[in-house]
């Protein structure tokens, strides 16, 4: 299938659900991003800062750029002028760095707290206790240019659907707890980013609001 017809089929699957599509464009050349844009895609996810910064000026200004890979504080400067959402918030230090650069650009950067939900040791992310320590800190409460809008997680790569489902459920429970405890008054705290090419249908069934899909649209990455 073409990029356009795959995106159209995905959008048809998403109709009537809470989920929106983030097209994961990492490793793919700008021409393919333009094809996705022409097919209606407006949220693009990249995991390498320099790659995203190089592609961003080549696409129309109404693209929402999502950083989905780990972000080192020394690279925040490359994306602060344009990034819409950093989905991979894993420390207070990163939030403070984003605040500094967003303030300089007089803009707001949105963020998702990334949780460790997978079995694999290698997948990064916060525990609930670590997230709460951030949210309770005075530094967090002083942020004016960074706004947390939800949570993100990467499930174990596994054919065991029930195990994957349990991880999505855990992420959703973290979301519900944080929403009730820290964000009850904040309408904008509403995103649960979960689900990739292999598991997005399960993620939608468990309440995903943002699915991050790459290879199902572009084929496998080199
Ligand atoms: C690469 C990536 C995706 C997309 O993975 P696919 O299996 O190609 O859909 C989603 N989320 C994150 C964090 C990624 O790094």
């Amino acid at each position: 299938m073409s990029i356009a017809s795959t995106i159209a089929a995905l959008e048809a699957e998403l109709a009537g659900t809470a989920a929106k599509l983030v097209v994961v464009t990492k490793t793919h050349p700008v021409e393919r991003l333009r094809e996705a844009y022409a097919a209606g895609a407006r949220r693009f996810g990249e995991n390498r800062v320099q790659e995203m910064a190089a592609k961003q000026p080549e696409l129309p200004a109404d693209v929402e750029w999502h950083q989905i890979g780990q972000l080192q504080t020394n690279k925040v400067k490359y994306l602060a002028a344009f990034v819409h959402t950093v989905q991979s918030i894993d420390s207070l230090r990163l939030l403070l760095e984003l605040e500094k650069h967003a303030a300089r650009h007089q803009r707001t950067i949105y963020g998702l707290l990334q949780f460790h939900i997978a079995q694999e040791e290698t997948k990064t992310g916060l525990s609930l206790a670590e997230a709460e320590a951030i949210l309770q800190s005075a530094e967090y409460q002083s942020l004016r240019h960074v706004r947390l809008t939800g949570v993100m997680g990467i499930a174990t790569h596994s054919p065991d659907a029930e195990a994957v489902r349990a991880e999505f459920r855990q992420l959703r429970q973290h979301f519900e707890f944080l929403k009730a405890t820290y964000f009850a008054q904040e309408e904008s705290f509403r995103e649960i980013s979960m689900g990739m090419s292999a598991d997005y249908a399960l993620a939608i069934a468990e309440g995903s609001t943002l699915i991050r899909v790459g290879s199902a649209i572009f084929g496998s990455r080199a």
Side-chain angles (χ1 to χ4, degrees):
M1 277 208 289
S2 68
I3 290 174
S5 56
T6 309
I7 288 176
L10 273 168
E11 290 293 0
E13 267 185 274
L14 296 182
T17 77
K20 293 164 292 190
L21 176 63
V22 178
V23 175
V24 174
T25 51
K26 63 190 185 197
T27 76
H28 299 297
V30 162
E31 303 79 72
R32 312 201 84 193
L33 277 65
R34 291 208 181 98
E35 258 182 275
Y37 183 91
R42 291 295 180 273
R43 290 177 210 88
F44 289 172
E46 291 275 339
N47 67 342
R48 293 219 172 78
V49 173
Q50 277 97 335
E51 186 178 341
M52 179 159 66
K55 288 171 173 175
Q56 184 267 340
E58 306 289 326
L59 272 293
D62 63 342
V63 169
E64 267 184 25
W65 293 92
H66 289 236
Q67 168 68 16
I68 61 171
Q70 199 171 28
L71 177 57
Q72 292 170 330
T73 50
N74 62 354
K75 298 202 171 148
V76 167
K77 57 179 178 280
Y78 299 118
L79 50 67
F82 68 86
V83 72
H84 182 276
T85 299
V86 175
Q87 294 206 5
S88 48
I89 303 287
D90 59 0
S91 70
L92 179 59
R93 200 167 148 249
L94 178 56
L95 283 169
L96 296 175
E97 193 68 11
L98 286 164
E99 168 70 24
K100 189 171 84 188
H101 288 272
R104 262 179 215 163
H105 290 282
Q106 295 180 289
R107 58 187 302 267
T108 299
I109 296 175
Y110 300 99
L112 304 181
L113 292 169
Q114 181 174 355
F115 283 94
H116 177 91
I117 56 169
Q119 299 301 319
E120 292 111 316
E121 288 296 327
T122 51
K123 303 244 163 101
T124 53
L126 299 162
S127 66
L128 190 56
E130 289 166 339
E132 286 202 82
I134 292 173
L135 296 173
Q136 289 169 8
S137 70
E139 294 105 312
Y140 168 73
Q141 283 156 27
S142 74
L143 299 179
R144 294 293 173 269
H145 299 85
V146 182
R147 185 180 305 158
L148 292 179
T149 54
V151 302
M152 183 271 230
I154 305 171
T156 305
H157 186 67
S158 162
D160 180 351
E162 287 317 304
V164 173
R165 186 190 294 279
E167 293 173 4
F168 289 149
R169 278 201 182 146
Q170 183 181 59
L171 184 61
R172 174 157 186 178
Q173 280 166 10
H174 288 348
F175 170 82
E176 302 288 356
F177 172 78
L178 295 177
K179 175 84 185 167
T181 310
Y182 299 96
F183 296 96
Q185 311 303 324
E186 287 184 45
E187 172 78 29
S188 60
F189 191 85
R190 61 176 174 223
E191 305 294 359
I192 306 176
S193 174
M194 59 186 187
M196 315 188 355
S197 292
D199 55 20
Y200 70 82
L202 261 178
I204 292 168
E206 295 303 327
S208 175
T209 70
L210 288 171
I211 59 168
R212 310 178 306 267
V213 180
S215 50
I217 296 170
F218 298 110
S220 56
R221 289 175 290 275

